[in-house]
Amino acid sequence: MLSTGLPLAEPVVRDVPIHGNPRQVPVRQIVIHATGGPDCDPSRSFRGGSLEGIVGHFQRNRKRISIHYIIGRTGEVVRMVPETRVAFHVRGHNADSIGIELVNDGDGRDPFTEPQIEALVMLLRDLLARHQLDGAALKSHAELDDSELVCGGRRLKRKVDPGATFPWERIRAALKE
Ligand SMILES: [Zn+2]
């Protein structure tokens, strides 16, 4: 995204369609994810990857995992599963949610970029308005999934995203403007 300082009415969106099952219930939650997270293999742990890498990952694994939107570090938004269809992004909460992945390591240290946050706010304003929701509909993946990862004898929380660097207060304040 060009950093003109001017708020754009809509984020720049590129379509890479993946079809999910038709949605049966209204959207009630918007779930924020980071692409990186814990993995038993240290070489794969907390690696956010690139926007193109993540898009390819979802295309290859579409039967198992999918997402509605991905926002890259430059603020580019990729739309995959249409909002009218269910994506597989959060255990037990897929039916009534929209999922947004942010390319980020998800380790609580990697900062989300300014263009990424601006694009997210624009997208969220649009989503909340169209689905008649307020800021309370925003959820972290971490709060909705308590499952554990067992690595040898070690147990880790499997989903911790988007992590401690995600600016919840700033986002919630921007959505009230
Ligand atoms: Zn997640």
Side-chain angles (χ1 to χ4, degrees):
M1 182 180 302
L2 294 173
S3 188
T4 59
L6 297 171
L8 300 173
E10 290 176 21
V12 177
V13 175
R14 171 159 55 105
D15 280 300
V16 183
I18 285 183
H19 288 289
N21 297 322
R23 196 184 283 286
Q24 309 288 348
V25 296
V27 173
R28 285 283 162 263
Q29 309 186 84
I30 297 175
V31 183
I32 308 294
H33 300 264
T35 51
D39 193 293
C40 291
D41 176 354
S43 72
R44 294 172 54 165
S45 198
F46 296 110
R47 297 288 170 92
S50 67
L51 181 60
E52 295 316 314
I54 296 297
V55 167
H57 181 69
F58 279 117
Q59 285 179 306
R60 286 190 301 277
N61 297 287
R62 63 181 71 194
K63 294 268 158 58
R64 203 165 51 79
I65 52 164
S66 53
I67 197 74
H68 296 96
Y69 295 97
I70 311 171
I71 306 180
R73 292 180 191 268
T74 65
E76 185 184 5
V77 179
V78 174
R79 179 164 48 201
M80 300 197 85
V81 177
E83 289 174 29
T84 52
R85 292 180 171 260
V86 173
F88 306 124
H89 60 102
V90 51
R91 244 179 232 200
H93 299 274
N94 288 316
D96 69 349
S97 69
I98 286 174
I100 303 174
E101 285 279 3
L102 300 167
V103 176
N104 180 276
D105 290 343
D107 60 355
R109 294 193 299 272
D110 183 21
F112 292 85
T113 72
E114 197 59 31
Q116 200 169 28
I117 294 303
E118 285 172 14
L120 176 65
V121 167
M122 287 189 279
L123 177 60
L124 288 173
R125 279 189 181 131
D126 182 41
L127 292 177
L128 294 181
R130 284 191 294 102
H131 295 279
Q132 298 176 296
L133 299 169
D134 61 28
L138 291 191
K139 302 283 169 61
S140 69
H141 191 185
E143 72 186 288
L144 296 178
D145 186 341
D146 277 329
S147 65
E148 289 186 322
L149 195 60
V150 182
C151 305
R154 238 161 24 109
R155 301 174 81 88
L156 304 174
K157 190 171 185 310
R158 203 169 69 92
K159 297 297 177 186
V160 299
D161 56 314
T165 54
F166 185 75
W168 287 104
E169 285 184 19
R170 186 181 158 199
I171 302 270
R172 290 190 198 284
L175 292 175
K176 283 184 193 152
E177 281 169 11

